[in-house]
Amino acid sequence: MDAKFLHFLSLIVFLIHFSTAFIPQDNYLINCGSSINTIVVDNRYFTGDFSENGSSYLSEGKSISLTNPIPASNSSVLYSTARIFTSVSNYKFNIKNVGFHLVRLHFYPFSSQDYDLKNAKFVVSANGKSLLSNFSAQFTILKEFILMVNRDELEILFMPASDSNFAYVNAIEVFSAPKDFIIDEGITLISPNEIQDFKQNISSKILETVHRINVGGSKLTPFNDTLWRNWIPDEDFLVLKSAAKIANTIHPPNYQPGGATREIGPDNIYMTAQQMNIDKRSSNFMFNITWDFPVRSEDALHFVRLHFCDIVSISLQTLYFNVYINGIIAFKDLDLSLLAFHELASPIFVDFVVQSSDNSNIVRISVGPSDLSNNLRKNAILNGVEIMKIVNPVGSEKTAKTKTIWILVGSVGGGSFVLSLAILSTLLVLKCRRKPEPRRVESTGWTPVRVNGGSSHGTLLEGPVLGYGLKIPFADIQLATNNFDKNLIIGSGGFGIVYKGILQENLRVAVKRRVPGNKQGLPEFQTEITVLSRIRHHHLVSLVGYCEEQSEMILVYEYMEKGPLRNHLYGSGLPPLSWKQRLEICIGAARGLHYLHTGSAQGIIHRDIKSTNILLHTNYAAKVADFGLSKSGPCLDETHVSTGVKGSFGYLDPEYFRRQQLTDKSDVYSFGVVLFEVLCARPAVDPLLDREQVHLGEWAMEWQKKGMVEQIVDHCIRGQIKQSSLKKFSETAEKCLADYGVDRPTMGDVLWNLEHALQLQESEMQIESQAETNLSPRFVPGVGVGVEGDSDDVSADITTSRVFSQLITSEGR
Ligand SMILES: *[C@@H]1O[C@H](CO)[C@@H](O)[C@H](O)[C@H]1NC(C)=O
Ligand SMILES: *[C@@H]1O[C@H](CO)[C@@H](O)[C@H](O)[C@H]1NC(C)=O
Ligand SMILES: *[C@@H]1O[C@H](CO)[C@@H](O)[C@H](O)[C@H]1NC(C)=O
Ligand SMILES: *[C@@H]1O[C@H](CO)[C@@H](O)[C@H](O)[C@H]1NC(C)=O
Ligand SMILES: *[C@@H]1O[C@H](CO)[C@@H](O)[C@H](O)[C@H]1NC(C)=O
Ligand SMILES: *[C@@H]1O[C@H](CO)[C@@H](O)[C@H](O)[C@H]1NC(C)=O
């Protein structure tokens, strides 16, 4: 089957790990005042504006091209010339791609015989919106603006101030920002009095970059940034340097669809961070890491983008921290693993608009441990910060007709320019036609829009890869669940709420509905549909269908009468399962998992095996569920899939988070933990227990190695377990928990050994010593009787025969 499907899965993996360089649709790079085209250090090609081609951008007004008589050898070639404007002048750029654009203006105030550029004072505007007023530069300045261009032209206008007779510029960059670079909806406003939604549109403002910081990292130049930005280290902004300690990794970040992109922040931003400077002895101290970023006190509003990537945790859900902006809590109990789609080292970003109190000339950012980290190692991190001043644009877009008025205003009275501009803009607003609204990104509850910029969703759901005929109309689901009746709720999880329901023809189903506003889930949703629509197996929960209408994301599964295995082991008061039932359940789950690993050429790794993801049908038939995190296995020429650590605390393969390498042996490890859970009837992690008992895997292995595993067997079944069966079972679990994947058995081996354990339990005649020679083929004929209903399942039979063929060649653990 499934060459296409596998190709699709490998494509997903490919997309996650690689991306091509960003090529802006509009891209104008101008070397002003120069007749030559230059390639600069970052390999971009700047066109001289004096050349036949470049001059086409320059229109109106009087200008002179000026060359620095004594060019500094250490400065950019762009700075050896400048264009001088002695009256109002402009550059015009055709815009193909309506949307946010980056505009950079380079100023390098050299002096020549006739002009000392330090004396220039002028106004710069873009499509009639003021970018700089009364601007003058005493040293090299690069001004960067991000603004919405919603027509087919961008005009950058230079106008000398009244007390200066010229304006100048050395270089101009204008290029389109990547899609979804900034999204208007749902930005949080942090002001001294309140936290609320920022109700204005960023797209109606102009952003001017004030700080762009690579926290914990080195200076980055346009040469090493995807959007040719400069990022500087954070050290000088730290209020207390000793509070912070640099964290870094050599692994490139796991960019996830829906999270930050390489254009939002390049690898280097996310591969370094500052973390709390704590050692073991001081681990009880609670403190914040704080940075103060100077801003001009008259600029009250700033756009603040914080970048995060968990490069410090070794497993998921161990890092919780708070983020404060200007002393106000901006994010409480931030759990990056939740926001970053259950991945470690997966970059996300969060946007805020910050209103400073009067006369405050700093933006203060702090991160510190949250109360939730009480039983965990306390830490808090930050990878990057961008602070942009929000410029309320003075003026408005002008039409051709108003251009003459502009020039008139410019040449008559520069001094009262701002005032005139304000009056003029009011008039223009009244006069101008209503402009088309900027294109808006649809906001839905699905995507974590504000947390990571939320690239638009749904692309993976289109196309031929997903099962047709699985779509279920929302109305049918409403009917099936009595309009999501609270009384029908049977569970809830990371993805959303699960309801019991009845679809037409009395089909009992479990309906998993994404909670609107839930900040995760799209990738899981897609993976789950992709995997389950292609794979059917008696021991894998099957997907009945899905619904993707408006902002709904709903998965419909076959209903599993008896719920998760965990509930039958502890904590819910259900009658205890017999040892034989437990073995049969483990065998069923192992069979499902074995099929997942080997049933297709490339194999699929589940990644989140735990007792709540093994569901029980009538007759306690076990089925593996929740494929949201699964990934396709290694390609032929690799032995692992390199990926971020996903999965659940307590079940995670230690090798997996050490090396961030995923193999099917990671599932084997998790399954080993489940086996001990079944044997001991206690959770994989129980923080209330004594230190050495917290992790079931470690604790059980201690007893197993001492040869005293019977001491920790669930007392409900102690009397019924045969010694030989227990021995086989616990040895199997032990092998699953081997430190290194290579030392662990395959699921096929595990399956066989569990079958054997069942045989030993059932066979009255079994002699202790024979159990040692565990590969004796005499047990084979009995294999497969363990689980009811298997005989009618073709795929299960195939699986079984594969197990045997494998057993013949394996050395049989
Ligand atoms: C002007 O552009 C044309 C093509 O667009 C190119 O062939 C020519 O070399 C350019 N001239 C200069 C001086 O850059
Ligand atoms: C270039 O050199 C001058 C003098 O040697 C120095 O003042 C200036 O900071 C240098 N500029 C850069 C960008 O290194
Ligand atoms: C610009 O400078 C002039 C004097 O040079 C001053 O009168 C005016 O207030 C300034 N405008 C702004 C916006 O700073
Ligand atoms: C923001 O933009 C949307 C659509 O473009 C518009 O409906 C809304 O009124 C705008 N809000 C503000 C405060 O300008
Ligand atoms: C960034 O680029 C410069 C060259 O301009 C290089 O020396 C430096 O090592 C690069 N830094 C990183 C972190 O890649
Ligand atoms: C961190 O800073 C915030 C805001 O200033 C403050 O409320 C909080 O108590 C600080 N936390 C610690 C542990 O100092």
Side-chain angles (χ1 to χ4, degrees), residues 41 214 218-225 268:
V41 206
N214 180 12
S218 57
K219 179 176 152 80
L220 298 181
T221 63
F223 180 79
N224 22 42
D225 181 74
N268 285 320

Side-chain angles (χ1 to χ4, degrees), residues 286-288 324 327-328 366 369:
M286 297 281 269
F287 58 86
N288 292 326
Y324 307 88
I328 297 161
S366 312

Side-chain angles (χ1 to χ4, degrees), residues 11 44 89 235 592:
L11 189 69
R44 284 182 304 161
S89 308
E235 210 176 310

Side-chain angles (χ1 to χ4, degrees), residues 199-201 437 440:
K199 296 208 181 66
Q200 302 168 54
N201 286 336
E437 299 286 2
R440 296 177 70 83

